[in-house]
Amino acid sequence: IAFAAHVDHGKTTLTDNLLIGAGMIADKGEATQLMMDTEEDEQERGITIFAANVSMTHEYEDRNHLINLIDTPGHVDFGGDVTRAMRAVDGALVVVDAVEGAMPQTETVVRQALREGVKPALFINKVDRLISELQEGPEEMQKRLTDVIGDVNELIRGMTEDMDDVDDWTVSVEDGTVAFGSALYKWGVSLPSMQATGMSFGDIIDLEQADKRQELHEKTPLSDVVLDMVAEHFPNPLDAQPRRIPRVWRGDDDLDIARQMREVDDDGEVVFMATDIGMDPHAGEIATGRVFSGTIKKGQDLYVSGTAGTNRVQSVGIFMGGEREELDRGVPAGHIAAVTGLRDAIAGSTVSSIEMTPYESIEHMSEPVIKKSVEAENMDDLPKIIQTLQQVAKEDPTIRVEINEDTGEHLISGQGELHLEVITQRIQKNQGIPVITGEPIVVYRESPQKQSREVEGVSPNRHNKFYITVEPLSEDIVEQIKLGEVSMDMPELECREALQESGIDKHTSQNVEHIHGTNIIIDETKGIQHLNETMELVIEGLEEALD
């Protein structure tokens, strides 16, 4: 499962509750230890910057459940981490602040979860503020909470109506897919827990107003309420993978490996999707991700999609917050594993014991729009900086690094100023390289507003003329290209049909020559000889101009 929410709605504090409930950290009164913010700058800023993983057990209805949890960042600059985390999980607990309600980033994280086929549930946090700060009575509170649930359901309904593999994923108090509480004071309730403990909203208001928060926590501890909800309502991998595999993998359904992934077969071929790459000063690169089939063990030789040869697994373990526990017997299918030795893997790689069709690439919602230059204070550090920047680009696909080796200038582009600031701090601290950074600049792009006139180009020998026009594409098509639903890698017929569905006429869709970024190049020529030989050069020229 993953926790996802707008910034500062209380995901990391909620995670602390669960760790206290699972007996993994000591209970010290208020839950403000922020155990999952393992880096110093996360603690200083009070925000989560990198998704952090933890595995814990919980007993529910006399059965022990193992829960792999990812705590994701809420700040919009680190949205890439949320998108990648959603590939590794089957359920997402959406956390909403009772006072602020559903916010823009709430909408984004719900969309990211649903697009990956991840089932949502809702936790409304900071209910104590409604009682102590806003002095609301039971009726006002219920109206406010109902409004929050309504807003979240509207988002879910809007995004799931086109999904054939989803019945009804809206959340409701009656079904037990909504819980309320205060992560700071460690109490929580849901309809099933109220029935079990006999607590009512009135009792909660009385105890909260009388400052008897410890008693409230003891009567109805938040960790039990949330983990019971997780165990009851989130699908386990055996239920989830048959539905999720067709969404994220476009390989042949009849292959053995497809069956093994659908059945979460521990004894099958190993299939692992790396969703996060982190650096450990002692162990080197750690690839964290989901094991979809087989059991990943130390010493295996695995293929990494898009690279030649194999990588040997050095160690396999699971994360317990900031600590990594190594496991000799390996990690079986359906779990989240932390693996070292996969030197060729980047965030989004498919790692497997046989060569196979890789998973669909993870589509990030936003592009790097802010740039700044980075240079070493001492020229001797130049090789080190180039190496570090390449490492940064490997760990975070939402960062783009351009290195101009002639001028020695390096540009990094990211999602926002905070994103770039954090990355530069990491370079200075982790690598000990003093760097000078330029002012951040926002990248402006030009785009056509209407169809242009015809422009003539003449070849150097004056014997050939080219005529080119430019016109804007409709939003629908641009959206389809961004989501990877239209691309030149698809079979020609499929690509043509997808374009026609987005509103391009039949004749034009047959003449699509190339797609570059979100631009489509169309060949409108008729009956010209030897065009194929120059087409490559034409495309190269157009790509350069578009970039």
Side-chain angles (χ1 to χ4, degrees), residues 50 70 78-89 112 274-277 347-348 362 364 395-398:
F50 295 102
I70 303 182
F78 308 106
D81 270 58
V82 185
T83 313
R84 294 194 291 280
M86 291 305 167
R87 177 60 61 92
V89 298
Q112 286 166 322
T275 54
D276 186 58
I277 304 281
I362 298 173
H364 291 99
E395 289 175 26
D396 188 348
T398 51

Side-chain angles (χ1 to χ4, degrees), residues 186-379:
K186 305 193 305 241
W187 61 266
V189 289
S190 60
L191 194 65
S193 86
M194 281 176 162
Q195 287 161 349
T197 56
M199 296 281 283
S200 70
F201 257 123
D203 302 340
I204 291 167
I205 293 175
D206 296 342
L207 284 169
E208 179 70 43
Q209 282 173 338
D211 249 353
K212 293 188 177 163
R213 288 170 172 153
Q214 188 54 31
E215 193 180 320
L216 193 52
H217 159 60
E218 281 158 16
K219 280 191 170 161
T220 174
L222 174 58
S223 55
D224 291 356
V225 173
V226 170
L227 292 173
D228 284 354
M229 180 160 91
V230 167
E232 172 69 31
H233 292 287
F234 280 151
N236 70 22
L238 293 169
D239 302 331
Q241 278 187 208
R243 190 190 69 247
R244 292 197 61 214
I245 295 298
R247 286 193 92 89
V248 298
W249 187 67
R250 290 212 176 137
D252 180 356
D253 270 357
D254 303 330
L255 294 174
D256 275 351
I257 195 145
R259 181 186 55 73
Q260 289 165 2
M261 289 191 290
R262 285 196 300 269
E263 293 174 2
V264 200
D265 185 352
D266 294 355
D267 303 322
E269 297 288 351
V270 174
V271 181
F272 170 78
M273 165 114 196
T275 54
D276 186 58
I277 304 281
M279 272 307 280
D280 180 305
H282 312 297
E285 275 180 32
I286 301 176
T288 312
R290 167 84 173 239
V291 187
F292 282 102
S293 144
T295 300
I296 194 162
K297 292 181 183 150
K298 192 159 86 177
Q300 286 170 334
D301 288 314
L302 302 177
Y303 295 96
V304 177
S305 59
T307 61
T310 58
N311 289 186
R312 174 158 287 191
V313 176
Q314 305 290 346
S315 75
V316 176
I318 55 172
F319 266 111
M320 314 289 275
E323 303 298 313
R324 188 169 54 93
E325 295 281 331
E326 290 193 12
L327 298 172
D328 290 338
R329 62 165 184 271
V331 175
H335 294 287
I336 291 175
V339 185
T340 62
L342 303 175
R343 60 180 188 283
D344 293 334
I346 58 171
S349 293
T350 304
V351 180
S352 55
S353 52
I354 54 169
E355 296 202 30
M356 60 176 277
T357 311
Y359 283 99
E360 290 288 289
S361 59
I362 298 173
E363 295 302 335
H364 291 99
M365 301 284 291
S366 44
E367 282 180 49
V369 288
I370 285 197
K371 263 189 192 182
K372 68 179 180 184
S373 63
V374 177
E375 48 187 317
E377 271 183 27
N378 315 321
M379 281 314 279

Side-chain angles (χ1 to χ4, degrees), residues 35-68:
M35 283 300 290
M36 302 301 277
D37 289 348
T38 49
E39 300 282 345
E40 268 174 49
D41 50 357
E42 294 184 298
Q43 290 277 0
E44 280 165 24
R45 295 171 191 272
I47 59 170
T48 303
I49 293 173
F50 295 102
N53 305 27
V54 63
S55 298
M56 60 183 95
T57 56
H58 174 64
E59 200 162 295
Y60 174 68
E61 292 186 346
D62 300 331
R63 287 184 64 190
N64 230 340
H65 293 71
L66 175 66
I67 295 170
N68 294 291

